[in-house]
Each structure stands twice: as C-alpha cells, then as structure tokens.
Amino acid sequence: MGKRKVTPVLGLDVSSTTVKLLELSYSGDRYRVESYAVSSLPQDAVIEKNVNDVDGVANAIRSVVAQSRTKLKTVAAAVAGSSVITKLIDMPQGLSEDEMETQLTLEADQYIPYPLEEVSIDFEVQGPSPERDNMVEVLLAACRRETIDSRVEAIESAELVPRIMDVEAYAMERAFSLIRHQLDLEEESTVAVVDIGATMTTLSVLNNGQTIYTREQLFGGKQLTDEIMRRYGLPLEEAGLAKKQGGLPDDYDSEVLEPFKDAVVQQVARSLQFFFSSSQYNDVDYIILAGGVASMEGLADLVQEKLGTPATVANPFANMSVSPKVNAVALSSDAPAMMIACGLALRSFN
C-alpha cells in the first residue's frame, strides 16, 4: 500500500525572469522534495511567456540542473494558458482513443483559428456528458507549434528529454490540491489563486478543485524593481538584490514599498471584478497568493483586510518532507513561486 505508479519527471517552470526546477518522490503517504533550484534568465530571454532566446533559456536550465544535483533527465514543462485554445466537445461513448483522434482531427478546424499544420492538438476524456446521453465530454487543447517547439529546443539544448508539455493553469490546479488539504477547504469552495510573478499576474479561479476561469494581466514585481532603480539610481541587478536583501534608504518603506503593496491589492481586486462580471459568481471563499511577490511581508494580511476575504500565501511543500541535499530555508522562501513547478513535478504520479 502507499505505492503509486511513478514515471519520474522534473517539474520545469520557465517564467519571464527565472527557471525553476523541482523533483518530488512519494513514499508512505507523503511527498518528499528530492531536489530543487532556481536560476535567473537573461533579460528578455522570455517575453510575455514566449521563449525569445533559446540559448539563454537553455543555459539557465543547465544551471538549475547543476545546482539541484538531480539525476533525472526527463522533464514536464508547460505553456501559458493564454497560448492554448481549449474547448469542451461531446463525442459518442465507446470510441477508442484512435477513433477519437481521427474524428477530432477532422473537426478541429471548426474550433481552431489557425491552419492545423501550425498547431499541436491533444485531448482528454473528462467523463460522461452532463447534457447528452451516450456521449462523453472531451477536452480539446490546441497550441501553436512554434510556442511548444521553442521550449522543447531549449530543454533539448540543455541535454534533457521533454516528456510532457502541460498547460500552466492545469499545473496550478494540480498544486492547488495540496493547498486545499492544508487549509481544510470544502470540496465545493470557490478559491481564487493569484499568481503574481515578475511581469505577469495570473488569476485562476477554482470551484470543486477545477479551474473555471483564468486571466492574465501585465503586472508584477518588476514594477517595484523599476521604481527602486528610478528613485535611487541603482542598476537593475543591484535594485533586484536590494529589494530582496534590504539596505535601501529609510524612506523606502513608506514611499516605495507601501504604495506597491497597495497597487498589488488593487490588482487582485480588479482581477476578481473581471471574474465576477463575466460569471454568475459575486464572491470567492478564499484568496491564495502565489508567485514571487506573494512572500512580501504582510501582503496576505493587507489583501484580507482590504477585500474582506480570507487570504493566505501558497506553500505547496508545507506537508512534505525534504531531502538533506535541499536547502530547506531557501525552499521555504521560494515556495509561493514554485506552484507551477510543483504541479508539473506531480505529473510523476498517476
């Protein structure tokens, strides 16, 4: 008992400023972090979630592999939700996978606004159709090949094997299942996960543990770095370090940091308003903050106080054990930014 079928893969999350790598194992009834690392990307190597500099990304991947000391070579990576078209389609029950694939390929041009030779298509049966008897609901996902190929090229250039290409929203959903158990949230809770990265904020709303809404907006921690550079005349690298390690003038908290935190709260509120206005929902039960900005001291309390909804910072590793070769302090500090890498590493377990 307690064994799970394992096809070990590294979770590899390529964001706009960093590459994050995570390896998990499972034994007894808990996960264990076997290795992890984070490495910075060259400026503009990834622009709005698209790989722009394959060599720059490949070098950062080599760096995380070396830092983590992992022995694994196979990788699960992901593309941004905004680059994927998804559609739920009803299909006759009892079709084999090959028959489904043939039928979907014939019908795909109804749903996809690109020439079929330019896209990669995948599908997954979700279960019986809630609308029609003797039919199953199938999720069709399509992504432009060039978006996938640039990631695959970077991974292969770093001498790794890309086995799985996922979608960030589904990786987030998988990692959220860990948080849901920690917080003892009801199965049917409606939860907003706000992932605030360096340049992009992604809102994912989950109900019954499934993603019902995602939206990306250009906003992130880089705005704080830019303001530090502007106000204190620091170059980019020094501004980034000062943001993390401190040592800025006395007026930093009141003049720069507090206004930025207020801007984050406004961004969370605005993202939720977009969701409420496009759905039948007018409230969420819980807000979970993820991404590098989430670990900013006092941010979750500020969101909770201003929006009147319970809020917490994501830590997918809270109930996991950690290998002695992993720096547990660094892992804890990076935890909110590791949600997508964690969701990808969970693909190792069926």
Side-chain angles (χ1 to χ4, degrees), residues 322-343:
V322 178
S323 153
K325 74 174 181 181
V326 169
N327 179 337
V329 176
L331 179 70
S332 170
S333 137
D334 283 328
M338 297 293 292
M339 286 284 281
I340 287 170
C342 183

Side-chain angles (χ1 to χ4, degrees), residues 38-39 43 50 65 71-72 76 79 110 132 150 161 236 240 242 266 306 321 325 334:
V38 178
S39 180
Q43 203 171 345
N50 289 312
V65 170
K71 299 282 188 286
L72 288 186
V79 292
Q110 294 174 41
R132 299 158 72 186
S150 56
V161 180
L236 177 65
Q266 284 174 4
K306 293 275 170 76
S321 57
K325 74 174 181 181
D334 283 328

Side-chain angles (χ1 to χ4, degrees), residues 69-92:
R69 307 202 296 279
T70 180
K71 299 282 188 286
L72 288 186
K73 291 287 184 194
T74 51
V75 167
V79 292
S82 54
S83 58
V84 179
I85 296 164
T86 56
K87 187 87 184 159
L88 282 168
I89 301 163
D90 283 347
M91 297 188 76

Side-chain angles (χ1 to χ4, degrees), residues 12 14 19 41 45-46 50-63 65 75 77 146-162 165:
L12 187 75
V14 179
V19 171
L41 282 165
V46 175
N50 289 312
V51 173
N52 187 43
D53 168 8
V54 168
D55 291 342
V57 174
N59 287 336
I61 295 172
R62 281 190 204 97
S63 169
V65 170
V75 167
E146 60 188 14
T147 305
I148 294 172
D149 289 349
S150 56
R151 273 172 162 67
V152 166
E153 192 183 341
I155 291 165
E156 289 179 340
S157 298
E159 288 151 36
L160 295 176
V161 180
M165 193 59 70

Side-chain angles (χ1 to χ4, degrees), residues 92-160:
Q93 225 167 12
L95 291 180
S96 70
E97 202 162 290
D98 286 348
E99 288 167 335
M100 270 190 188
E101 189 171 337
T102 304
Q103 191 169 326
L104 281 170
T105 308
L106 292 171
E107 296 176 10
D109 56 0
Q110 294 174 41
Y111 313 110
I112 298 160
Y114 306 119
L116 289 186
E117 63 273 12
E118 289 178 16
V119 293
S120 290
I121 295 173
D122 203 356
F123 64 93
E124 189 174 85
V125 177
Q126 303 297 290
S129 165
E131 315 282 318
R132 299 158 72 186
D133 293 340
N134 303 319
M135 302 289 267
V136 288
E137 198 172 54
V138 177
L139 176 69
L140 174 71
C143 180
R144 294 190 75 142
R145 281 184 195 276
E146 60 188 14
T147 305
I148 294 172
D149 289 349
S150 56
R151 273 172 162 67
V152 166
E153 192 183 341
I155 291 165
E156 289 179 340
S157 298
E159 288 151 36
L160 295 176

